[in-house]
Amino acid sequence: MNYNYLGYRFRPTEDEIITYFLENKMRGNAFPVHAINTVNICAFEPWQLPEQAAIGDDEEWYFFSEHNKKYANSARTERTTRAGHWKVTGKDRQIWDKHGKEVIGVKKNLVFYKGRGSKAVKTSWVIHEYHSNNASAYQKPYVLSYLKGNLNEKDYSRAASSGHAASGS
């Protein structure tokens, strides 16, 4: 399907992200239209991720990713890339069903910091990470990540000019 139709935008609600996309992905159900790719977010720098998206947009992209743990017996999530790390900011926000009666998931906000330690520099790249409350019931729990950023940011042009552009996966 061609997504370049005038006026067409892929903008699911938070309820749709959890109850339709995320739940169906974890069940292994096929989608009638391929709108979201599965990507290991930390295998790419934020400015490389748009190339991995199923639907290209100006500054917003969606991805499924497996919930990667930092250590085998830990609840901590792996959020580092070669160039930096994703830092959770703010409080987790509960996602309610469309009727406002039941909490169906959690949204975490992450900001990308280029570099390590005290020398890390905050960038304009942000991920809204959606988790289903039912994830533990599935063999392969996934999260849905909504990435926002600016491809014209210096980090992207520097990475592209140095030959570090992403290769398909």
Side-chain angles (χ1 to χ4, degrees):
M1 177 176 211
N2 184 352
Y3 292 102
N4 295 322
Y5 294 119
L6 183 62
Y8 176 83
R9 292 183 66 169
F10 181 74
R11 296 290 179 270
T13 64
E14 291 182 329
D15 175 60
E16 292 166 341
I17 285 172
I18 302 283
T19 60
Y20 181 75
F21 290 101
L22 200 47
E23 291 288 332
N24 279 312
K25 175 68 173 175
M26 291 188 291
R27 286 185 193 113
N29 295 343
F31 293 98
V33 174
H34 183 76
I36 304 173
N37 283 341
T38 302
V39 174
N40 177 354
I41 298 288
C42 291
F44 300 93
E45 305 311 329
W47 50 90
Q48 296 171 327
L49 284 167
E51 298 169 10
Q52 307 303 314
I55 299 175
D57 197 340
D58 298 45
E59 296 180 355
E60 300 175 356
W61 305 272
Y62 292 84
F63 303 96
F64 289 116
S65 59
E66 291 187 42
H67 188 79
N68 294 327
K69 295 187 177 187
K70 190 166 188 155
Y71 307 106
N73 296 327
S74 172
R76 291 178 61 190
T77 303
E78 177 62 42
R79 300 192 195 281
T80 58
T81 71
R82 282 186 282 160
H85 63 280
W86 291 99
K87 182 178 178 181
V88 177
T89 61
K91 296 179 184 177
D92 292 357
R93 193 168 69 75
Q94 294 179 331
I95 305 299
W96 294 80
D97 68 4
K98 63 182 173 185
H99 304 295
K101 297 183 183 209
E102 181 183 359
V103 175
I104 56 173
V106 174
K107 174 181 170 182
K108 296 176 182 282
N109 294 318
L110 296 89
V111 174
F112 187 76
Y113 283 77
K114 190 167 184 192
R116 300 273 190 262
S118 62
K119 295 183 181 182
V121 177
K122 184 178 180 178
T123 69
S124 64
W125 292 94
V126 175
I127 282 182
H128 301 288
E129 195 176 77
Y130 292 90
H131 300 255
S132 169
N133 283 353
N134 298 329
S136 62
Y138 297 102
Q139 188 173 2
K140 272 195 162 185
Y142 284 90
V143 297
L144 191 146
S145 299
Y146 166 49
L147 173 71
K148 294 167 84 170
N150 182 354
L151 289 175
N152 295 322
E153 189 174 286
K154 286 181 187 177
D155 293 330
Y156 178 78
S157 57
R158 196 175 319 132
S161 65
S162 66
H164 294 343
S167 59
S169 66

